[in-house]
């Protein structure tokens, strides 16, 4: 395009059109197996009055732990999160049934709910539900950032959903430039296109319904990439739109009449940086990341963190004489002794994940420093997220 457009809306459009005959076939199959499908009753777990256990970044992704086949499924995952978190909503101190306090409402309605034992944000209006993080001014994303969040993809056959959209706004006036993604119920794949360019989004499998799916976005000086779970769905080398803000929109047509009862999102993370690992190692002799996420209080790595590990493996394979000391750090939650052990265990888990891809163990050492070297005061969710980090120090 000949001019810079300061508008970007990324819309993920889930369109589920199906005939009465096909619908009846699926209904019969699902009815026979209904007792085995726990997720069918997922809306019953939303408690408008109750409170869930205390959540933070490390336990809010409990469904995201690495399965046995993850090394094969996620080995080609290339997404690398930014190194400095500027927004993370862990909903830790939110009251269930209230609007999430760290967000601003643009349109529709949203509230905090307890879903399967954890706090999430549900979007409840019949049509558009637009929310944006509370920032004092626009332009906070800059020209190098990453965005991640999880979205619940419901069972559109069982629930008779025929249309669902997920939009990401990057323009302060909420305009209509978009990247569109269509979830095709026949092929069970995602298809789409960019509205401002003749660019087709790569088709990938939808995956499990009534389940959480991870969206990852990276933007670097006009280069735009987006991933759905472990698959890249968009790769635009020159995107002529300048991002000003970040906002989310989710809406759903439920049998053409009412809103889906548990359209939900969680784990929204915005960070500066990302994708320049090799350059940072060459310039600084190290790479520090808070994008390797673990289960709360454990050394179990989340599968959405494997993009960083895959990148480290590739760098080590391309530089056979390089060696790294892997250093684990924690936030200030917990006691000093426990955090030292936890950080050491996590560094060891990262080492294990790397050598499982063919790197000689002798090239890697580990150190656990716990909370002894904080980067800040540990007062906010963002500060704690930045302190929970792993450093790769070139030896």
């Amino acid at each position: 395009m000949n001019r810079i457009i300061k508008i970007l809306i990324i819309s993920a459009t889930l369109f589920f059109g199906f005939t009465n005959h096909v619908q009846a076939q699926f209904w019969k199959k699902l009815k026979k197996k209904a007792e085995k499908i726990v997720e069918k009753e997922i809306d019953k777990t939303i408690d408008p009055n109750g409170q869930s256990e205390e959540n933070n970044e490390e336990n809010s992704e409990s469904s995201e732990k690495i399965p046995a086949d993850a090394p094969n499924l996620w080995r080609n995952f290339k997404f690398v999160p930014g190194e400095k978190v500027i927004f993370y909503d862990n909903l830790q101190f939110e009251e269930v049934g209230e609007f999430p306090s760290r967000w601003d409402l643009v349109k529709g309605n949203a509230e905090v709910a307890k879903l399967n034992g954890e706090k999430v944000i549900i979007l409840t209006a019949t049509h558009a539900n637009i929310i944006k993080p509370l920032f004092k001014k626009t332009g906070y994303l800059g020209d190098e950032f990453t965005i991640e969040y999880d979205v619940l993809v419901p069972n559109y056959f069982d629930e008779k959903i025929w249309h669902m959209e997920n939009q990401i706004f990057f323009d302060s006036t909420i305009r209509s430039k978009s990247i569109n993604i269509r979830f095709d119920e026949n092929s069970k794949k995602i298809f789409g296109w960019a509205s401002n360019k003749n660019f087709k989004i790569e088709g990938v499998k939808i995956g499990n319904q009534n389940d959480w799916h991870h969206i990852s976005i990276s933007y670097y000086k006009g280069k735009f990439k987006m991933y759905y779970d472990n698959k890249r769905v968009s790769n635009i080398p020159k995107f002529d739109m300048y991002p000003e803000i970040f906002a989310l929109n989710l809406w759903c047509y439920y049998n053409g009449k009412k809103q889906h009862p548990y359209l939900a999102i969680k784990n929204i993370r915005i960070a500066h940086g990302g994708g320049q690992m090799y350059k940072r190692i060459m310039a600084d002799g190290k790479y520090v990341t808070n994008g390797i996420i673990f289960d709360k209080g454990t050394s179990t790595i989340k599968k959405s963190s494997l993009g960083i590990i895959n990148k480290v493996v590739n760098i080590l394979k391309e530089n056979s004489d390089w060696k790294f000391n892997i250093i684990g750090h924690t936030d200030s939650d917990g006691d000093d002794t426990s955090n030292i052990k936890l950080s050491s265990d996590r560094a060891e888990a990262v080492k294990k994940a790397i050598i499982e891809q063919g790197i000689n163990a002798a090239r890697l050492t580990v150190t656990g420093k716990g909370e002894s070297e904080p980067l800040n005061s540990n007062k906010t969710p963002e500060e704690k997220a930045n302190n929970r980090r792993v450093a790769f120090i070139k030896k």
Side-chain angles (χ1 to χ4, degrees):
M1 298 183 66
N2 295 326
R3 64 190 180 89
I4 297 178
I5 302 175
K6 294 186 177 180
I7 303 168
L8 174 59
I9 304 176
I10 304 168
S11 89
T13 302
L14 288 76
F15 187 82
F16 311 117
F18 46 86
T19 66
N20 291 334
H21 176 68
V22 174
Q23 181 183 352
Q25 287 180 324
F26 273 96
W27 183 255
K28 289 180 181 179
K29 292 179 181 179
L30 289 171
K31 188 175 182 180
K32 291 179 180 179
K33 298 181 180 180
E35 67 276 6
K36 298 181 181 180
I37 305 177
V38 178
E39 291 84 359
K40 183 179 179 181
E41 303 298 328
I42 194 171
D43 56 318
K44 293 183 180 180
T45 66
I46 299 180
D47 180 2
N49 299 311
Q51 292 284 346
S52 69
E53 294 181 359
E54 183 174 286
N55 266 335
N56 62 22
E57 181 178 22
E58 296 173 318
N59 71 351
S60 59
E61 291 184 307
S62 58
S63 64
E64 295 297 310
K65 68 176 64 175
I66 302 176
D69 55 355
N72 293 325
L73 294 176
W74 290 75
R75 187 154 291 182
N76 294 321
F77 188 49
K78 303 297 183 183
F79 177 78
V80 176
E83 298 86 16
K84 182 180 179 181
V85 177
I86 63 170
F87 180 84
Y88 181 76
D89 193 2
N90 58 12
L91 302 173
Q92 181 176 355
F93 301 110
E94 298 292 341
E95 182 179 352
V96 171
E98 297 295 330
F99 184 85
S101 63
R102 305 190 70 208
W103 295 79
D104 186 19
L105 180 65
V106 179
K107 186 177 182 180
N109 189 37
E111 65 182 59
V112 178
K114 187 170 66 175
L115 185 60
N116 285 349
E118 67 176 337
K119 291 179 183 177
V120 302
I121 298 175
I122 60 171
L123 300 134
T124 60
T126 302
H127 296 297
N129 298 270
I130 304 174
I131 57 176
K132 61 181 181 179
L134 288 173
F135 281 92
K136 293 181 179 180
K137 59 182 180 180
T138 63
Y140 54 82
L141 292 172
D143 60 3
E144 184 180 1
F145 64 84
T146 62
I147 294 173
E148 299 174 81
Y149 66 95
D150 293 321
V151 59
L152 181 66
V153 175
N155 189 321
Y156 44 86
F157 293 117
D158 192 12
E159 301 289 349
K160 300 181 181 180
I161 297 169
W162 67 274
H163 188 80
M164 176 179 168
E165 290 187 3
N166 174 205
Q167 296 177 303
I168 304 171
F169 297 87
F170 282 148
D171 174 62
S172 58
T173 59
I174 313 299
R175 302 283 182 167
S176 59
K177 296 297 179 181
S178 64
I179 289 179
N180 303 285
I181 299 177
R182 173 169 293 179
F183 286 57
D184 183 74
E185 60 93 10
N186 292 316
S187 65
K188 306 296 186 299
K189 289 186 177 181
I190 304 170
F191 298 97
W193 61 94
S195 64
N196 71 321
K197 288 181 178 286
N198 184 21
F199 177 83
K200 298 296 182 183
I201 291 176
E202 304 168 29
V204 301
K205 293 181 179 179
I206 294 175
N208 295 333
Q209 296 175 47
N210 273 341
D211 203 356
W212 293 95
H213 293 272
H214 194 69
I215 302 295
S216 310
I217 295 169
S218 67
Y219 180 89
Y220 179 73
K221 297 180 179 179
K223 297 179 181 179
F224 178 89
K225 294 181 181 180
M226 180 166 61
Y227 297 82
Y228 177 80
D229 288 336
N230 61 322
K231 298 292 186 179
R232 188 179 66 190
V233 295
S234 177
N235 183 17
I236 301 178
K238 188 177 181 180
F239 206 54
D240 294 333
M241 297 180 181
Y242 184 77
E244 296 178 331
I245 69 164
F246 167 68
L248 275 173
N249 176 23
L250 285 173
W251 59 318
C252 177
Y253 289 111
Y254 180 61
N255 200 23
K257 296 180 180 180
K258 65 178 182 178
Q259 170 74 10
H260 191 273
Y262 49 87
L263 200 55
I265 57 174
K266 64 178 182 178
N267 300 329
I268 303 92
R269 182 184 190 271
I270 309 174
H272 285 157
Q276 300 297 305
M277 185 183 297
Y278 183 80
K279 290 182 180 179
R280 297 187 196 282
I281 294 172
M282 291 299 296
D284 305 327
K286 63 181 179 180
Y287 180 76
V288 182
T289 176
N290 49 53
I292 300 180
I293 311 300
F294 304 84
D295 281 340
K296 181 183 179 182
T298 76
S299 58
T300 302
I301 303 172
K302 306 292 187 181
K303 60 186 179 183
S304 58
S305 302
L306 288 176
I308 297 174
I309 292 173
N310 294 337
K311 188 76 171 180
V312 171
V313 169
N314 290 338
I315 288 176
L316 287 171
K317 287 181 177 179
E318 293 172 0
N319 300 272
S320 58
D321 59 331
W322 283 20
K323 297 180 180 179
F324 284 136
N325 184 27
I326 304 171
I327 302 177
H329 299 267
T330 70
D331 59 30
S332 60
D333 292 346
D335 61 81
D336 294 348
T337 302
S338 297
N339 283 335
I340 287 290
K341 184 180 186 305
L342 179 60
S343 62
S344 179
D345 290 344
R346 289 178 169 179
E348 189 66 44
V350 172
K351 175 183 175 180
K352 181 180 177 182
I354 293 173
I355 64 178
E356 284 176 350
Q357 295 196 41
I359 301 301
N360 191 323
R363 299 174 63 186
L364 304 169
T365 56
V366 300
T367 304
K369 294 193 174 182
E371 59 182 276
S372 63
E373 297 181 4
L375 301 175
N376 47 56
S377 63
N378 278 295
K379 290 183 178 179
T380 68
E382 289 78 19
E383 288 185 347
K384 290 185 178 182
N386 283 313
N387 283 330
R388 294 191 297 267
R389 65 197 190 275
V390 175
F392 298 88
I393 310 297
K394 186 174 177 293
K395 298 193 293 183

